[in-house]
Amino acid sequence: SRLGAARQGAARPDGEPPRSPAVATVELLRGAVEKGARVWIGYLDQQGQASSRIVEPIRVEGGFLTGYDATRAAVHRFALHRITGVTELKPE
């Protein structure tokens, strides 16, 4: 399908979204901002639905992660308290 082809660049890793403690999550995100690394996050939306996203973090401040959401092809703000975990993705 055409949509599938358009999303090829943001393929999610196999398995469950990562889980990491809150303090480790913030440290990993800050490190990713500094390195310009891409991360895979587990995220709960306002309804409590779990999802996972591939994000290129831009900044972490005021309780939010701002980053380019490669899964949705848009810049997005994620509430840090809704991020269930983070894994840094190796460059391709």
Side-chain angles (χ1 to χ4, degrees):
S1 77
R2 209 164 182 188
L3 183 65
R7 292 191 164 203
Q8 217 72 50
R12 293 186 191 103
D14 293 330
E16 288 294 304
R19 288 201 165 275
S20 50
V23 174
T25 293
V26 171
E27 284 178 15
L28 280 163
L29 291 171
R30 289 205 168 115
V33 169
E34 285 171 23
K35 289 188 271 190
R38 192 178 257 211
V39 295
W40 183 33
I41 64 170
Y43 192 70
L44 297 175
D45 68 15
Q46 289 172 319
Q47 288 74 44
Q49 290 291 318
S51 66
S52 67
R53 310 279 184 84
I54 304 295
V55 180
E56 294 168 20
I58 298 166
R59 71 178 159 269
V60 178
E61 65 184 11
F64 288 91
L65 160 66
T66 302
Y68 176 74
D69 180 350
T71 315
R72 303 231 162 119
V75 172
H76 189 81
R77 267 171 44 123
F78 299 93
L80 290 175
H81 71 272
R82 290 204 189 113
I83 295 174
T84 57
V86 181
T87 298
E88 193 173 304
L89 297 174
K90 301 287 173 247
E92 290 161 19

